[in-house]
């Protein structure tokens, strides 16, 4: 069996450091490991439209932003196919057939979708497209026969849904589709990076992000304004590190070398955490270190991004070529699906 990756992002905003540690960084490592036969990175504009159908300009503008973020982080179009979802019409057709294999009750049970519906306050005006996006995500994954899907933790229910559809399809129509598995970040803090406001998830739609494209000043302002432990009022108070986003970001990004360079009084993060927990370490010092770490991590990404941004037509040409190739692969799977379903009436 071939080793094939599919991942993607919704063009609802620029990509942030949660995307970076949750999925992007891993994708680049996997891409450069040469262990994969094919890698597909999808800009999920059709999915973004399920809750932004009234704002197509936003989706369109963010396709460019997300593509720039990819290139800046090291996704290389020579090794990975970067494509735009809406330009692979075969995905919609697959979705239509997969819809028959899922019940409304099953869709309503998806915990990530449930949370998102609540956050977006849809109530009775929930668009059908939004509720069914896990089915279209199954089409995205299976169209490319992907067996590996590097994602953040919030995507686990989507992968479970995809596996169920694949099993049910293969059971009914014969072995055709490949069951995918999720690959999560190894570092626990990266599974679901919290927002700068302490909310459970940094999310483009919640406005609590540090973006990969933020300027040095913006990064500093955001880090200095971060939520910490509300009970850590005086420096001498004992503090909490496990639910404190400043420490969670340090878990995700800092190395012992950062300590040697910026705060040599601690050998590593464990020593610093112990000090905060017993009291006597102020938030300002933690934030200053975090700012240094974030600046060092994001500066090279920002510089590369500015380089790619000088030639936007070249970025769109790359997306066009990627989409054409992706379309040819998805068309092949669709014809296998139709044959399995016995709806290949006009095939010789
Ligand atoms: P939206 O609010 O529009 O849904 P988002 O910020 O959730 O945007 P997505 O495009 O839905 O971003 O997610 C893209 C990928 O990034 C997914 O694999 C998801 O699991 C991962 N991801 C998103 N946010 C985080 C986060 N805070 N921590 C870790 N991974 C994340
Ligand atoms: Mg999301």
């Amino acid at each position: 069996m071939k080793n094939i990756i599919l991942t993607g992002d919704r063009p609802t905003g620029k990509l942030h450091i949660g995307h970076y540690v949750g999925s992007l960084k891993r994708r680049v490592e996997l891409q450069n490991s040469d262990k994969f036969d094919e890698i597909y990175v999808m800009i999920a504009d059709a999915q973004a439209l399920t809750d932004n159908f009234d704002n197509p300009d936003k989706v369109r503008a963010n396709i460019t932003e997300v593509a720039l973020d990819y290139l800046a982080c090291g996704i290389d179009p020579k090794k990975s196919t970067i494509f735009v979802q809406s330009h692979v019409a075969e995905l919609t057709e697959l979705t239509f057939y997969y819809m028959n294999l899922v019940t409304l009750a099953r869709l309503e049970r998806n915990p990530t979708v449930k949370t998102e519906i609540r956050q977006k306050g849809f109530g009775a005006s929930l668009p059908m497209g939004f509720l069914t996006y896990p089915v279209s995500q199954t089409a995205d994954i299976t169209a490319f026969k992907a067996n590996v899907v590097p994602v953040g933790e919030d995507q686990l229910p989507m992968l479970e849904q995809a596996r169920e559809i694949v099993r049910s399809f293969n059971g009914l129509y014969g072995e055709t589709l490949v069951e995918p598995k999720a690959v999560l970040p190894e570092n626990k803090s990266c599974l679901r990076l919290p927002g700068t406001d302490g909310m459970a998830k940094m999310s483009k739609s919640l406005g609590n992000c540090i973006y990969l494209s933020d300027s040095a000043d913006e990064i500093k302002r955001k880090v200095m304004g971060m939520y910490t432990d509300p009970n850590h009022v005086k420096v001498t108070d004992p503090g909490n590190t496990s639910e404190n986003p400043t420490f969670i970001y340090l878990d995700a990004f800092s190395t012992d070398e950062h300590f040697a360079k910026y705060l040599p009084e601690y050998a590593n993060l464990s020593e610093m955490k112990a000090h905060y927990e017993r009291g006597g370490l102020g938030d300002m010092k933690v934030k200053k270190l975090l700012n240094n770490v974030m600046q060092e991590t994001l500066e090279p990404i920002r510089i590369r991004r500015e380089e790619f941004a000088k030639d936007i037509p070249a970025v769109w040409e790359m997306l066009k070529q990627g989409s054409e190739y992706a379309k040819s692969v998805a068309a092949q799977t669709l014809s296998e699906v139709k044959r399995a379903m016995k709806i290949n009436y006009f095939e010789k």
Side-chain angles (χ1 to χ4, degrees), residues 87-131:
H87 278 244
V88 182
E90 287 74 7
L91 300 175
T92 334
E93 211 173 324
L94 286 172
T95 305
F96 192 69
Y97 299 126
Y98 295 170
M99 293 275 198
N100 302 332
L101 309 178
V102 190
T103 64
L104 178 60
R106 174 67 184 86
L107 288 171
E108 285 173 341
R109 270 204 313 274
N110 185 311
T112 298
V113 176
K114 253 185 174 164
T115 309
E116 289 172 342
I117 290 173
R118 211 178 319 115
Q119 278 172 352
K120 292 173 201 290
F122 280 134
S125 55
L126 172 67
M128 280 308 291
F130 191 80
L131 184 67

Side-chain angles (χ1 to χ4, degrees), residues 17-23 25 29 185-194 202 226 241 244-256 258-259 269 273 290 293-294 297:
I17 59 171
H19 298 119
Y20 184 70
V21 291
S23 167
K25 194 164 152 227
E29 284 162 11
E186 274 150 20
N187 181 337
K188 293 272 168 292
S189 303
C190 303
L191 287 172
R192 191 184 292 248
L193 202 73
M202 178 174 289
M226 271 178 75
T241 57
N244 181 331
T246 55
F247 279 98
I248 299 175
Y249 290 10
L250 285 171
D251 263 328
F253 289 96
S254 75
T255 60
D256 293 356
H258 286 133
F259 279 90
L269 184 55
K273 277 185 180 173
L290 179 61
V293 171
M294 294 318 303
T297 309

